[in-house]
Amino acid sequence: MSILEHNGGAVVAMAGKNCFAIASDNRLGDGIKTLSMEVPKLVAVNKRCVVGLTGLRSDQQTFSQKLKFRTEMYKLREERHISGKALTGMIVSMLYEARFGPWFIEPVIASLNESGEVYLCATDLIGAPNEPQDYVCAGTSSESLHGMCEALWRPDMDADQLFETITQALLSASDRDCLSGYGATVVVVTNCLLYTSDAADEEDSVDLGGRRIIKKKKNKRLT
């Protein structure tokens, strides 16, 4: 088993019309043994940029703290919030400079600029970027996620349609992977609305406002 798969987990991001959604599963494992079912992998850098981290959990936590420090320094120096493309450049630089002793993580970056343009990117553990226009995914169930997203994603979906689509894609893909699952945390960002399906990691993220809770076992959404 790869070290990237040891703790399990999956992240997917999708673009909509003037909005984006990013989701992660909630499982933390030790191989096939489940340690926790309340460990989302999303880091809200600001109210327009969200990062999902898959891979080794200890590296996720350390990397997110270093990323938080660098983005705060960027905000102090530039007197503005970091954009999605600038954030991607920062993450790629951090990963590549550690290439001889790499971070065992695969980040997924999603952002929305003020004009409503969505930017998605995913990288490998040494920072090689992939910048699609529709969706991007990473983690142990990425193969299943690609199939589900390809079947369900449509261009120009609104926030509610995007929420339903990314939820069904992630939960269906996680059902086919023993190393991820146990519900999902979904963050949807638009120009006038930002909400999350469940509390993201309180240590690593800002308050995301309203909440929608997914109960996988009951297979319904509560508001």
Side-chain angles (χ1 to χ4, degrees), residues 16-21 156-167 186-195 212 221:
K17 185 176 182 180
N18 300 322
C19 62
F20 74 81
D156 296 329
M157 289 187 290
D158 62 27
D160 287 334
Q161 292 171 327
L162 200 60
F163 180 89
E164 297 293 344
T165 300
I166 198 170
T167 299
V186 184
V187 175
V188 179
V189 178
T190 74
N191 279 328
C192 58
L193 172 69
L194 190 154
Y195 61 82
R212 293 186 177 185
R221 187 184 70 197

Side-chain angles (χ1 to χ4, degrees), residues 30-152:
D30 179 7
I32 60 174
K33 180 173 67 176
T34 298
L35 303 177
S36 175
M37 298 178 289
E38 298 179 349
V39 184
K41 301 158 186 72
L42 304 180
V43 180
V45 176
N46 55 54
K47 292 193 174 182
R48 290 184 177 271
C49 297
V50 183
V51 177
L53 297 173
T54 65
L56 191 65
R57 181 58 182 171
S58 58
D59 279 7
Q60 291 175 25
Q61 293 174 312
T62 306
F63 187 86
S64 66
Q65 291 298 317
K66 288 182 176 292
L67 182 63
K68 182 177 180 180
F69 169 76
R70 292 204 182 189
T71 53
E72 289 297 322
M73 291 300 296
Y74 179 97
K75 182 180 176 182
L76 287 171
R77 184 174 61 250
E78 301 292 333
E79 298 183 349
R80 59 189 172 92
H81 290 293
I82 193 168
S83 66
K85 291 185 178 181
L87 178 63
T88 297
M90 180 183 290
I91 290 174
V92 167
S93 175
M94 291 172 67
L95 293 173
Y96 190 71
E97 72 183 11
R99 62 192 180 280
F100 296 116
W103 299 97
F104 293 110
I105 56 171
E106 293 180 329
V108 173
I109 304 107
S111 70
L112 182 73
N113 64 20
E114 293 182 358
S115 63
E117 181 183 352
V118 176
Y119 173 76
L120 303 178
C121 182
T123 80
D124 63 7
L125 75 172
I126 61 168
N130 174 32
E131 300 173 321
Q133 301 297 315
D134 45 7
Y135 65 86
V136 66
C137 53
T140 57
S141 61
S142 59
E143 292 184 5
S144 299
L145 273 169
H146 275 296
M148 291 303 303
C149 293
E150 189 175 40
L152 297 176

